[in-house]
Amino acid sequence: MWLKPEEILLKNAFKLWVTEKDNEYFVLQRRRGYGEGGGGLTGLLVGTLDTVLDSTSKVAPYRILHHTPDSQVYWSIACGVTKEEIIQHWDWLQQNIMRTLSVFDSSEDVTSFVQGKIRGLIAEEGKTCLVQEDDPEKFREAHLRFEKWFELPPEEKLVTYYSCSYWKGKVPCQGWLYLSTNFLCFYSYLLGAEVKLVISWDELWRLEKTSNVILTESIHVLAHGEDHYFSMLLHLNETFVIMEQLADYSIKRLFDKESFQREPALSDPLQITKRGLEANAKSEQFRTFFRLPKEENLLEVHESFLWVPFSHFNTLGKICLSENYLCFASQDGSQCHVIIPMREVVNVEKPDSSSRALTVCVRGKRALRFSEVRDYQRLANTIRSRCGISASPQHSASSEVMCCDCFICDNPEDVTLMVGQKDSSKAVSTEALMTVFHPQDVENLDPKMLKEKMKEQSWNIHFSEYGRGTSMFFTRKTRDLIVRGVPEALRGELWMLFSGAVNDMATHPGYYTELVEQSLGTSTLATDEIERDLHRSLPEHPAFQSDTGISALRRVLTAYAYRNPKIGYCQAMNILTSVLLLYAKEEEAFWLLVAVCERMLPDYFNRRIIGALVDQAVFEDLIRENLPQLVEHMTDLSFFSSVSLSWFLTLFISVLPIESAVNVVDCFFYDGIKAILQLGLAVLDYNMEALISCHDDAEAVTILNKFFDSVTNKDSPLPPTVQQASVGNNDKASHISVDISELIREAYEKYGNIRSEEVESSRKRNKLYVIQTLEDTTKQNVVSKLRVTSTGVMLPSLFIYFQRQHFLSCYWTMNSPALLHHDPSLAYLEQYQLGFQQFSMLFSLLEPWAFCSIKSTLSLWVFRLIDENQDGLINFKEFCCALDTLYTGSFTNKLKFLFKLHLPPGKFSLILPQLSSIDLNCFSFSHKRQPYALKTLSLSIKLTGRGKVDLQAYLKQWQNEILKKEETIKDLPRINQTQFIQFSKTLYNIFHGDPEEESLYRAVAHVTSLLLRMEEVGRRLLEPSSPPESKKPANTTAGEESSTEESSTTPESSDTSSSHNSQDLSETEWSFSFEQVLASLLNEPAIVSFFERPVDIQMKLGQAKVAQLKSKTNK
């Protein structure tokens, strides 16, 4: 390939290169150790240098240099992996360049022309190059090495690579770190010692930056219980971000089965690039900081000054532009930031070109002036185009200054955005429940009400200085007001603003009303659970003792379950939504719930509550860092995880009185999960002495419960009936009361230095460990419940191979059967399933016998047989049961398994011959998981009053009782002539290559001839009475319980049994029962000993471990 011209001072440094061809201006060289004469000590040294040194020209076996006769400087212009490739470049230079060079007078002109020509070739080549990397030449060379060294499938996409040191024990190995879509790889070759490491991202338990005495800064990776350290990275932070993104991407795609249609950079695993991952990381950070919808991506960043009218000075910061928002954050991120929706921009002006400034005019007679913007004209045009604004005539500078000075309009109430005001359904409540059940009395001069009025006045002053609505400035003063407590009248408005829900609601007018109309009347498991929990949501509050509050809660929860079926409904959502409805209108409460579940508390409300577990791990890290005394006394911090789970899931609402809990929710909507972590630390700190002196966990729980019951809100204007709604214990005499405002203020003073960026980083670091721990726990639970005798000891390893095969089906495509048919309602373990191709590959590695030429056919038959629910996917239980039978099942069970393989598919009677037609319908519905089945299950729950768990246990028990009937061999149908011939061929293929092959073949031939003779004798005995005998089975099956025998026969035997004359009987194909086949084979000791021969399961699993990934490579 052509290379960007690079100067080389020594033509034959260290004698590593041998000149193959040369002329006046070019030299073609071969690297020692390659081609003819390679090997030996020279090849060993060169191989080591190729691995360690960071130079493409030194790694490639061939290169072309440019030089001039009167200069000692050489320029590398091309390299090649093969001699044929470099010869093509050489010939091109001879034919197209050499003749032209003769016209130049000076060597400088020659070199300049050659360099320009080579750069032109690279530019032309880059136009058609699909790999969009910083240095396409080096990247392609690295990709070739990646493919050569690791032998991964060609679909595997290399994202980037770095030179680094890998610490193997106490000795560093200098080599190359390769990061691909699905794997972390490292390669080193030092003086004949090769180090090769391949770890898939889904195997990572830990990924973090560390430092110690030996390693000043390194990246720590934990996988398979082994620690790996990578150091000496030139761009360690950049490397870590890419690794973090790839690991998170793998977790979401493989474990959570998420798709990325809205993120083009991640939508196709074959097209992921370093730039795409870096852009995604920046967009995630951008969305998290400004609380923007997931659809927003960071498009442009500009440094600038923003005129802050309330401080009367310009603050330095960055303008961040996305598809629908213009945001600004000061340099430290905490002084001030502002979010401007594009829909609110009415004009963009460029008043002063000398200061490179532009002014963004927003609705409500407000304007923001940005100065010293490097590319201010392009930014202004971009904003105009996104807002649909045409360039207006240039205003005078004085008018613009006036616009800036008039930052706040005369009537602040006009600034408040009235969003989502489309005609609402009459069923949707348009008032917050608190205004309905506890309206404020304007004439009340109670001290608490006076203090409430003072709070409102403080906020109105804040609005007059900093703005009100979506374009309000967020400053330290805003946080101070939040800590003091939000007035009851402003709580709903501020929750909407701080959470970003106001923008969601504004951009989706009428969306909630449509959801309510579509979702009401639906019957799902989620709606049943919602109905069950409706009256458990703040039951003592007057608002939820009436149909008004209950109906509003039902509509919001049902609408959200309809919007997001992946989450549906989870416990704790009802408690949170109840509080939202108290202070926000019904539609606003819905969008607040969306903001909490989908942005602020990601992965909290699902079956595994991963988000809450991750934040508890973050909480434990903060306890170790900030409360060392408590850690010394309680070395096992898992206690705090179990106690604090409800704190995180309900934002302290379930443990604090309602009038105190809402103050916590105020801080949460402003600062996110950081506020909950801070308050949790403050609670433990407040009770430090009592917790240290306690003797067991129960005593510690009692201490914390008493503390929460003693928390009050002395400034709350709510009446006593409302204040007592969430108090679990009214006996507070034994504990001194604590004011919630003081507790929150103490939390901010002591632990306010915790940065949101650190929390997010800790979240990512702990998420890997939490998910892998859940996976390991789930695996152990499932393995312990599987009743298999042979593979029981090896089940953990077998599960790992099954899981890996499932992941292999998802690595290089987003359209695998396992992803397309993903059902989140299933038990988590059952979501690991294999389609036929993946099953065939894994089964071929673990099968006890060599099936030779018809391997794929028999794999298809086995797949069809063990796919009990006929959904085209095999789960782990089905796979284990089949292997258990084939590995250590009895001779009868193994033979029965092979016998069933040759029965026609699609008949439930083959497996469940004793069921009536009604039972079969019920069984098929429950296994196929059809919508009707869900409705039937929901109905049965309502009628019986039993919980979902009890019903599932009953169905499993019923299913197990049904499957037990499969054990009787008399229920198996007969196989006809075609099926028996195929059965015999299968036996021949199984025996092929066995040391006793000849005797086994003779035994099969003997059994076959014996059965044929028996069938011939039986047919002759039946010939005299053929008409009545042929009709007797039909008459019997028509009226008696054994009706299923007719349905259990094969299509061929079914047709022949319906004949009504003796001539047809004599012409029908013969058939055999399983008892006949079994009895005949039992008389052949060679066959019996073959099937009873033990299988070395350990050896099989070891071979599968090595060959699993290579089987995909060789496809």
Side-chain angles (χ1 to χ4, degrees), residues 204-206 222 765-774:
L204 263 61
W205 283 66
R206 286 283 187 191
L222 174 63
R765 182 175 64 252
N766 284 286
K767 184 177 181 180
L768 291 172
Y769 185 80
V770 167
I771 287 182
Q772 296 291 7
T773 302
L774 286 174

Side-chain angles (χ1 to χ4, degrees), residues 180-219:
S180 66
T181 307
N182 300 293
F183 298 95
L184 179 156
C185 305
F186 176 83
Y187 184 85
S188 175
Y189 185 80
L190 294 172
L191 300 176
E194 184 182 54
V195 178
K196 188 184 295 186
L197 180 69
V198 179
I199 303 174
S200 60
W201 295 113
D202 53 83
E203 296 171 344
L204 263 61
W205 283 66
R206 286 283 187 191
L207 176 62
E208 57 190 349
K209 289 187 287 188
T210 59
S211 61
N212 52 42
V213 177
I214 300 176
L215 304 176
T216 55
E217 202 171 15
S218 63
I219 295 177

Side-chain angles (χ1 to χ4, degrees), residues 246-491:
L246 286 169
D248 186 61
Y249 173 71
S250 178
I251 290 295
K252 290 180 179 178
R253 189 164 58 91
L254 300 178
F255 288 96
D256 297 336
K257 306 295 185 300
E258 288 188 12
S259 57
F260 300 88
Q261 286 85 1
R262 293 179 179 177
E263 300 179 45
L266 303 179
S267 59
D268 186 356
L270 301 181
Q271 301 298 328
I272 290 182
T273 62
K274 174 185 172 183
R275 293 180 182 177
L277 290 171
E278 289 174 339
N280 184 67
K282 292 177 181 178
S283 294
E284 282 184 354
Q285 188 178 9
F286 166 69
R287 289 191 296 264
T288 302
F289 184 84
F290 292 107
R291 305 278 171 79
L292 299 179
K294 289 185 177 181
E295 296 78 15
E296 298 301 313
N297 294 293
L298 182 61
L299 302 178
E300 298 179 18
V301 178
H302 302 267
E303 281 195 359
S304 74
F305 287 91
L306 173 64
W307 173 253
V308 185
F310 50 85
S311 300
H312 301 288
F313 73 93
N314 285 309
T315 179
L316 177 63
K318 291 185 177 181
I319 301 173
C320 301
L321 192 68
S322 69
E323 291 86 349
N324 299 295
Y325 295 90
L326 172 68
C327 306
F328 177 87
S330 60
Q331 204 163 29
D332 59 2
S334 60
Q335 187 175 5
C336 74
H337 70 271
V338 63
I339 304 168
I340 308 171
M342 294 291 189
R343 64 179 183 275
E344 298 299 315
V345 177
V346 295
N347 203 358
V348 180
E349 300 295 340
K350 296 177 288 186
D352 187 3
S353 60
S354 61
S355 62
R356 296 181 296 180
L358 71 155
T359 302
V360 179
C361 300
V362 189
R363 290 181 188 175
K365 299 181 181 179
R366 292 178 291 174
L368 288 88
R369 180 186 174 90
F370 301 97
S371 59
E372 298 300 328
V373 184
R374 178 174 299 178
D375 199 355
Y376 72 100
Q377 291 195 8
R378 187 172 67 85
L379 177 60
N381 294 332
T382 302
I383 298 174
R384 286 197 191 101
S385 63
R386 294 197 171 276
C387 300
I389 303 171
S390 58
S392 59
Q394 189 80 9
H395 291 326
S396 64
S398 60
S399 66
E400 291 303 328
V401 172
M402 182 185 67
C403 184
C404 289
D405 291 339
C406 296
F407 176 81
I408 304 301
C409 64
D410 295 333
N411 186 5
E413 295 183 0
D414 294 340
V415 179
T416 305
L417 298 177
M418 304 302 291
V419 295
Q421 296 300 319
K422 192 174 180 178
D423 291 339
S424 300
S425 171
K426 295 180 180 179
V428 177
S429 174
T430 57
E431 294 291 337
L433 295 179
M434 195 62 78
T435 62
V436 176
F437 290 89
H438 179 54
Q440 291 190 9
D441 186 0
V442 180
E443 299 179 357
N444 187 358
L445 299 180
D446 181 84
K448 290 186 177 181
M449 288 303 301
L450 289 176
K451 195 163 187 177
E452 186 76 3
K453 293 296 182 184
M454 292 174 62
K455 284 184 182 179
E456 290 185 25
Q457 185 62 28
S458 299
W459 275 97
N460 287 329
I461 294 173
H462 181 274
F463 291 147
S464 65
E465 293 180 355
Y466 299 92
R468 186 172 186 175
T470 53
S471 302
M472 184 181 81
F473 278 85
F474 296 82
T475 65
R476 288 194 181 95
K477 188 174 181 181
T478 311
R479 178 180 282 119
D480 293 340
L481 289 175
I482 290 289
V483 172
R484 296 175 194 170
V486 175
E488 298 280 319
L490 298 176
R491 186 160 272 138

Side-chain angles (χ1 to χ4, degrees), residues 160 293 341 358 384 659 777 788 845 946 990 1085:
T160 188
L358 71 155
R384 286 197 191 101
E659 72 275 8
T777 304
V788 291
L845 298 175
R946 301 183 64 178
I990 289 176

Side-chain angles (χ1 to χ4, degrees), residues 25 97 100-107 109-114:
Y25 295 107
I97 300 294
T100 309
L101 297 181
S102 60
V103 303
F104 294 100
D105 296 331
S106 66
S107 59
D109 294 339
V110 170
T111 301
S112 178
F113 174 79
V114 171

Side-chain angles (χ1 to χ4, degrees), residues 46 103 107 303 453 494 501 509 515 533 541 544 669 789 867 897 935 970 1087:
V46 171
V103 303
S107 59
E303 281 195 359
K453 293 296 182 184
L494 293 177
L515 273 185
D533 289 344
H541 196 286
F544 298 100
F669 277 124
T789 56
D867 183 15
F897 188 89
K935 295 179 182 179
K970 293 183 179 180
I1087 295 179

Side-chain angles (χ1 to χ4, degrees), residues 228-246:
H228 307 277
Y229 292 91
F230 301 93
S231 64
M232 303 295 290
L233 286 152
L234 187 61
H235 306 287
L236 188 136
N237 290 329
E238 173 191 299
T239 308
F240 182 75
V241 168
I242 297 297
M243 295 173 71
E244 202 174 48
Q245 285 286 302
L246 286 169

